[in-house]
Amino acid sequence: MKGIEADILADGSLDYPNHILEQFDFVVASVHSRFKLPKKEQTERIIEAIGNPRTTIIGHMTGRQLLRRPGYDLDVDKVLKACAKHGVAVEINAHPWRLDLDWRWHQKALDQGCIFSINPDAHSIRELDHMHWGVEMARKGGVPAKRVLNTMRLTALLAHLARRRQTF
């Protein structure tokens, strides 16, 4: 399988055109700029990206970097509801600087009907080992394996991805 991380632009669109995104099995949509937008605008921006039928996973939802910077201001509850509505997985970012979405939100996400994806946010091969931190955070947050994309059997994962593509 092949995937890509796409930037969420200020208007909520993704930074790659659809003809590129449709070549991937999954797309992680993440904010990498404009961190200081007002709460309403930041929330709407992320919800717009979640509504894009090519978005499979919302990456490092709050944008925080532990001991470096706080997350951006957004309505996490509304974003979780949008993820559940559209079948977009909430990333548990396993990088030790992120651990985002914070485990204290996991039960709320589960209650909303969200699924998760544990991702290493690796920028090098050795950073793939960060996965264990994401697993620990998922466990701490009470996330069952059956609600995590990358623990699903291949047939279940492919079925989930196919359902997302049906909205194209």
Side-chain angles (χ1 to χ4, degrees), residues 12 14 44-55 58 82-83 85-86 88 164 167:
L14 303 182
E44 289 172 356
R45 167 193 194 185
I46 294 170
I47 290 173
E48 180 72 21
I50 290 166
N52 183 319
R54 287 162 182 83
T55 299
I58 190 72
C83 286
K85 175 183 174 186
H86 293 284
V88 170
R164 281 295 298 143
T167 62

Side-chain angles (χ1 to χ4, degrees), residues 42-44 46-48 50-51 58-62 74-92 100-117 143 147:
Q42 195 72 269
T43 301
E44 289 172 356
I46 294 170
I47 290 173
E48 180 72 21
I50 290 166
I58 190 72
H60 46 76
M61 184 188 301
T62 72
L74 77 154
D75 187 330
V76 175
D77 192 49
K78 283 185 180 179
V79 173
L80 293 174
K81 286 178 184 173
C83 286
K85 175 183 174 186
H86 293 284
V88 170
V90 175
E91 179 184 65
I92 298 174
D100 186 13
L101 184 67
D102 189 287
W103 68 271
R104 291 169 286 195
W105 282 102
H106 293 180
Q107 188 59 55
K108 180 68 134 176
L110 290 167
D111 292 345
Q112 298 285 358
C114 293
I115 57 173
F116 294 84
S117 180
V143 178
R147 298 280 286 272

